[in-house]
Coordinates of all heavy atoms in Angstrom, one line a residue:
Chain B
Y390 N 5.5 -3.3 12.6 CA 4.8 -2.8 13.8 C 3.4 -3.2 13.7 O 2.8 -3.2 12.7 CB 5.0 -1.3 14.0 CG 4.9 -0.9 15.5 CD1 5.9 -1.4 16.4 CD2 3.9 -0.1 15.9 CE1 5.8 -1.1 17.7 CE2 3.9 0.3 17.3 CZ 4.8 -0.2 18.2 OH 4.7 0.1 19.5
P391 N 2.8 -3.6 14.9 CA 1.4 -4.1 14.8 C 0.4 -3.1 14.2 O -0.7 -3.5 13.7 CB 1.0 -4.5 16.2 CG 2.3 -4.7 16.9 CD 3.3 -3.7 16.2
D392 N 0.7 -1.8 14.3 CA -0.3 -0.8 13.8 C -0.1 -0.5 12.3 O -0.8 0.3 11.7 CB -0.2 0.5 14.6 CG 1.1 1.2 14.5 OD1 1.9 0.8 13.7 OD2 1.3 2.2 15.2
L393 N 0.9 -1.2 11.7 CA 1.2 -1.0 10.3 C 0.8 -2.3 9.5 O 1.6 -3.2 9.4 CB 2.7 -0.7 10.1 CG 3.1 -0.2 8.7 CD1 2.6 1.1 8.4 CD2 4.7 -0.2 8.6
P394 N -0.4 -2.3 8.9 CA -1.0 -3.5 8.5 C -0.2 -4.2 7.4 O -0.1 -5.4 7.3 CB -2.4 -3.1 7.9 CG -2.7 -1.8 8.5 CD -1.4 -1.2 8.8
K395 N 0.4 -3.5 6.4 CA 1.1 -4.1 5.3 C 2.5 -4.4 5.6 O 3.2 -5.0 4.8 CB 1.0 -3.2 4.1 CG -0.5 -2.9 3.6 CD -0.5 -2.1 2.3 CE 0.0 -0.7 2.4 NZ -0.8 0.2 3.3
G396 N 3.0 -3.9 6.7 CA 4.5 -4.1 7.0 C 5.3 -3.0 6.2 O 6.5 -3.0 6.2
Y397 N 4.6 -2.1 5.6 CA 5.3 -1.0 5.0 C 4.3 0.2 4.9 O 3.1 0.0 4.9 CB 5.8 -1.3 3.6 CG 4.8 -1.8 2.6 CD1 4.0 -1.0 1.9 CD2 4.7 -3.2 2.4 CE1 3.0 -1.5 1.0 CE2 3.8 -3.7 1.5 CZ 2.9 -2.8 0.8 OH 2.0 -3.3 -0.1
Q398 N 4.8 1.4 4.9 CA 4.0 2.6 4.8 C 4.2 3.1 3.4 O 5.3 3.2 2.9 CB 4.5 3.6 5.8 CG 3.7 5.0 5.8 CD 4.5 6.1 6.6 OE1 5.7 6.0 6.7 NE2 3.7 7.0 7.1
I399 N 3.1 3.4 2.7 CA 3.2 4.0 1.4 C 3.5 5.5 1.6 O 2.8 6.2 2.3 CB 1.9 3.9 0.6 CG1 1.6 2.4 0.4 CG2 2.1 4.5 -0.8 CD1 0.3 2.1 -0.3
S400 N 4.7 6.0 1.1 CA 5.2 7.3 1.4 C 5.9 7.8 0.1 O 5.8 7.1 -0.9 CB 6.1 7.2 2.6 OG 6.6 8.5 2.9
Q401 N 6.5 8.9 0.2 CA 7.3 9.4 -1.0 C 8.7 9.6 -0.4 O 8.9 10.2 0.6 CB 6.8 10.7 -1.5 CG 5.4 10.6 -2.1 CD 5.1 11.8 -3.0 OE1 4.9 12.9 -2.4 NE2 5.0 11.7 -4.3
F402 N 9.7 9.0 -1.2 CA 11.0 9.0 -0.7 C 11.9 10.1 -1.4 O 12.0 11.2 -1.0 CB 11.6 7.6 -0.8 CG 13.1 7.5 -0.3 CD1 13.4 8.0 1.0 CD2 14.0 6.8 -1.1 CE1 14.8 7.9 1.4 CE2 15.3 6.7 -0.6 CZ 15.7 7.2 0.6
D403 N 12.4 9.7 -2.6 CA 13.4 10.6 -3.2 C 12.7 11.6 -4.1 O 13.4 12.6 -4.5 CB 14.5 9.8 -3.9 CG 13.9 8.7 -4.8 OD1 12.7 8.4 -4.7 OD2 14.6 8.2 -5.7
V404 N 11.5 11.4 -4.5 CA 10.8 12.5 -5.3 C 9.5 12.9 -4.7 O 8.4 12.4 -5.0 CB 10.5 11.9 -6.8 CG1 10.2 13.1 -7.7 CG2 11.7 11.2 -7.3
P405 N 9.6 13.9 -3.7 CA 8.4 14.3 -3.1 C 7.6 15.2 -4.0 O 8.1 15.7 -5.0 CB 8.9 15.2 -1.9 CG 10.2 15.7 -2.4 CD 10.8 14.6 -3.3
I406 N 6.3 15.4 -3.7 CA 5.4 16.2 -4.6 C 5.9 17.6 -4.7 O 5.7 18.3 -5.7 CB 3.9 16.0 -4.3 CG1 3.1 16.6 -5.4 CG2 3.6 16.6 -2.9 CD1 1.7 16.1 -5.4
A407 N 6.4 18.2 -3.6 CA 6.8 19.6 -3.5 C 8.1 19.7 -2.7 O 8.3 19.0 -1.8 CB 5.7 20.4 -2.9
S408 N 8.9 20.7 -3.1 CA 10.2 20.9 -2.4 C 10.7 22.3 -2.6 O 10.3 23.0 -3.5 CB 11.2 19.8 -2.8 OG 11.4 19.9 -4.2
G409 N 11.6 22.7 -1.7 CA 12.3 23.9 -1.9 C 11.5 25.2 -1.7 O 11.5 26.1 -2.6
G410 N 10.7 25.2 -0.6 CA 9.9 26.4 -0.4 C 10.3 27.2 0.8 O 11.4 27.0 1.4
Y411 N 9.4 28.1 1.3 CA 9.7 28.8 2.5 C 8.4 29.3 3.1 O 7.3 29.3 2.4 CB 10.6 30.0 2.2 CG 10.0 31.0 1.2 CD1 9.2 32.0 1.7 CD2 10.3 30.9 -0.1 CE1 8.6 32.9 0.8 CE2 9.7 31.8 -1.0 CZ 8.9 32.8 -0.6 OH 8.3 33.7 -1.5
V412 N 8.4 29.7 4.3 CA 7.3 30.3 4.9 C 7.7 31.6 5.7 O 8.8 31.6 6.3 CB 6.6 29.3 5.8 CG1 7.5 28.8 7.0 CG2 5.3 29.7 6.4
D413 N 6.9 32.6 5.7 CA 7.2 33.8 6.4 C 6.3 33.9 7.6 O 5.1 33.7 7.6 CB 6.8 35.0 5.5 CG 7.8 35.2 4.4 OD1 9.0 35.1 4.7 OD2 7.4 35.3 3.2
V414 N 6.9 34.3 8.8 CA 6.2 34.5 10.0 C 6.5 35.8 10.7 O 7.6 36.4 10.4 CB 6.4 33.3 11.0 CG1 6.1 32.0 10.4 CG2 7.8 33.3 11.5
D415 N 5.6 36.2 11.5 CA 5.8 37.4 12.3 C 5.9 36.9 13.8 O 5.1 36.2 14.3 CB 4.7 38.4 12.2 CG 4.7 39.1 10.9 OD1 5.6 39.8 10.6 OD2 3.7 38.9 10.1
I416 N 7.0 37.3 14.4 CA 7.2 36.9 15.8 C 6.4 37.9 16.6 O 6.5 39.1 16.4 CB 8.7 37.0 16.3 CG1 9.5 36.1 15.3 CG2 8.8 36.6 17.7 CD1 9.3 34.6 15.5
P417 N 5.5 37.5 17.6 CA 4.8 38.4 18.4 C 5.7 39.4 19.1 O 6.8 39.1 19.5 CB 4.0 37.5 19.3 CG 4.0 36.2 18.7 CD 5.2 36.1 17.9
L418 N 5.1 40.6 19.4 CA 5.9 41.6 20.0 C 6.5 41.3 21.3 O 7.6 41.6 21.7 CB 5.0 42.9 20.2 CG 4.9 43.8 19.0 CD1 4.1 45.0 19.3 CD2 6.3 44.2 18.5
E419 N 5.7 40.5 22.1 CA 6.1 40.2 23.5 C 7.3 39.3 23.5 O 8.0 39.0 24.5 CB 5.0 39.6 24.3 CG 4.3 38.3 23.8 CD 3.1 38.7 22.9 OE1 3.2 39.6 22.1 OE2 2.1 38.0 23.0
F420 N 7.6 38.7 22.3 CA 8.8 37.9 22.2 C 9.9 38.5 21.3 O 10.7 37.9 20.7 CB 8.5 36.5 21.6 CG 7.5 35.8 22.5 CD1 6.2 35.6 22.0 CD2 7.9 35.3 23.7 CE1 5.3 34.9 22.8 CE2 6.9 34.7 24.5 CZ 5.6 34.5 24.1
G421 N 9.8 39.8 21.2 CA 10.8 40.6 20.5 C 10.4 41.0 19.1 O 11.0 41.9 18.5
G422 N 9.3 40.5 18.6 CA 8.8 40.9 17.3 C 9.7 40.6 16.2 O 10.7 39.8 16.4
G423 N 9.4 41.0 15.0 CA 10.3 40.8 13.9 C 9.7 39.8 12.9 O 8.8 39.1 13.2
H424 N 10.2 39.9 11.7 CA 9.8 39.0 10.6 C 10.8 38.0 10.3 O 12.0 38.2 10.4 CB 9.6 39.9 9.4 CG 8.9 39.2 8.3 ND1 9.6 38.7 7.2 CD2 7.6 38.9 8.1 CE1 8.7 38.1 6.4 NE2 7.5 38.2 6.9

Side-chain angles (χ1 to χ4, degrees):
Chain B
Y390 205 60
D392 66 5
L393 191 67
K395 299 186 292 297
Y397 54 83
Q398 177 194 30
I399 302 177
S400 181
Q401 293 193 292
F402 180 49
D403 50 347
V404 193
I406 189 159
S408 55
Y411 60 86
V412 63
D413 289 311
V414 303
D415 288 297
I416 304 293
L418 276 181
E419 57 269 44
F420 301 110
H424 190 259

